[in-house]
Amino acid sequence: MDFLITLLQLFDSTIRLSVPLLLACLAGLYSERSGIFDIGLEGKMLAGAFAAGTVAAWYGSAWAGLLAAVLVSVALGLVHGFASITHRGNQIVSGVAINFIAAGTTVILGQAWFSQGGRTPSLPNTARFNPINLPGAEAMRGVPIIGPIYYELISGHSILVYLAFLLVPFTWWVLYRTRFGLRLRAVGENPAAVDTAGVSVPWLRYRAVICCGVLCGVAGAYLATAQGAGFVKDMTAGKGYIALAALIFAKWRPVQAMFACLLFGFLDAVAIRMQGHPMPLIGEVPVQLMQALPYILTIVLLAGFIGKAIPPKAGGVAYVKER
């Protein structure tokens, strides 16, 4: 039973750690399926986390923080769209610029407004998304096997966790069962054909960029108001880049993206749990190596285990309408 509890706690940590990856991965899915590569997921998540932590600290409302995070992230997404869609700029350069802007601006504003080294004030529970106990969780806690699974693994998460996993089937439905999804996939493969059909390619791509911004904002808000209790400098810690890796690992498909994010979340959870614990034949592994483990395994998985990942054909290429 102790082993089961330990395993469930590990899986519980996996779910919590995979949520920002999943939200950012789905965000990149919308954008890249439309032909707009977005390496700025990291920056939008970071800016969203700062906005959520700041507004939640000022107004004492996690929902206000979530709204602020979405607005700031969408604004950065529109900047990326303006540079890469309207002006046909280099999408990689634009995304990297957003990452740098977010990394610097959040620290400068945080220090100017709160004088805590770039942090925002710690949030009370009333200004955070708190865990939700599902019906019957306490009653089923003592039931063998099923009870601990329901109580430890399924129940006890914030509303943003459940939202993130519900967005997976919703995204699948949008992409494969709606007119918008059909056009979104088509514009990522052959924008000229979509344009010939009378659909505005720039407007369709802008909508994809907005969807991307919304999801990145929710991911940032989760980091600052659900997983954490405020904004901390560079709190995304490369999650945007890992989300991009998960997106490639999943070959731009939503259900596979969820499993890829759960895999990376599991690696992160294992690395955290193994810190300071001696390993057989090796002894105690340095903390720095355990912290680097998820990133090392990300490279290994991408390099040797996914096969050939073919991105959308029009991805990263500015569309010029023929006259």
Side-chain angles (χ1 to χ4, degrees):
M1 183 60 72
D2 289 340
F3 174 74
L4 177 62
I5 295 299
T6 301
L7 196 61
L8 288 175
Q9 289 174 348
L10 182 62
F11 289 155
D12 181 68
S13 297
T14 297
I15 291 174
R16 297 176 193 273
L17 292 169
S18 65
V19 167
L21 299 178
L22 178 58
L23 289 167
C25 190
L26 293 176
L29 180 64
Y30 280 99
S31 182
E32 298 198 9
R33 276 289 195 169
S34 73
I36 302 297
F37 284 172
D38 196 350
I39 204 171
L41 299 176
E42 177 84 3
K44 283 182 282 190
M45 287 174 63
L46 188 63
F50 176 75
T54 298
V55 173
W58 282 345
Y59 296 100
S61 170
W63 291 104
L66 175 62
L67 178 61
V70 169
L71 291 176
V72 168
S73 183
V74 168
L76 287 176
L78 290 175
V79 170
H80 180 57
F82 184 71
S84 58
I85 300 172
T86 303
H87 289 283
R88 307 184 188 95
N90 188 293
Q91 297 172 12
I92 302 299
V93 173
S94 175
V96 171
I98 287 175
N99 289 340
F100 284 140
I101 290 170
T105 305
T106 52
V107 175
I108 292 171
L109 292 180
Q111 179 61 26
W113 291 346
F114 304 109
S115 300
Q116 295 185 14
R119 299 167 56 100
T120 59
S122 295
L123 299 176
N125 287 335
T126 54
R128 298 178 61 206
F129 289 103
N130 294 307
I132 299 172
N133 288 323
L134 298 180
E138 285 290 344
M140 292 185 61
R141 189 175 184 180
V143 178
I145 301 177
I146 298 176
I149 292 175
Y150 185 66
Y151 180 81
E152 293 282 351
L153 196 60
I154 300 175
S155 180
H157 299 287
S158 71
I159 190 171
L160 296 184
V161 174
Y162 299 112
L163 174 64
F165 285 95
L166 287 174
L167 282 172
V168 175
F170 176 76
T171 298
W172 180 90
W173 176 77
V174 168
L175 285 179
Y176 298 105
R177 292 294 183 269
T178 66
R179 181 182 299 177
F180 170 73
L182 174 62
R183 291 174 173 176
L184 189 73
R185 288 182 289 124
V187 81
E189 297 292 337
N190 192 344
V194 175
D195 193 20
T196 303
V199 178
S200 172
V201 172
W203 172 230
L204 192 57
R205 287 182 166 178
Y206 264 111
R207 281 187 284 173
V209 166
I210 290 171
C211 291
C212 176
V214 170
L215 292 176
C216 282
V218 176
Y222 173 81
L223 290 173
T225 59
Q227 190 179 78
F231 175 81
V232 180
K233 177 185 175 183
D234 295 330
M235 71 182 309
T236 49
K239 289 181 174 62
Y241 301 113
I242 294 180
L244 280 175
L247 185 59
I248 298 170
F249 186 58
K251 299 182 180 178
W252 294 270
R253 290 174 291 184
V255 177
Q256 289 85 340
M258 178 187 70
F259 288 114
C261 291
L262 285 171
L263 173 61
F264 290 128
F266 177 75
L267 296 175
D268 202 3
V270 169
I272 292 172
R273 193 165 190 86
M274 292 303 295
Q275 289 181 16
H277 289 271
M279 298 182 66
L281 305 177
I282 300 176
E284 187 171 330
V285 180
V287 173
Q288 293 80 2
L289 178 60
M290 297 307 298
Q291 290 174 339
L293 181 62
Y295 306 96
I296 295 171
L297 293 178
T298 297
I299 297 172
V300 172
L301 288 172
L302 286 177
F305 293 94
I306 66 169
K308 188 176 182 180
I310 302 174
K313 292 180 181 178
V317 180
Y319 175 65
V320 180
K321 184 175 183 178
E322 297 181 0
R323 297 184 179 180

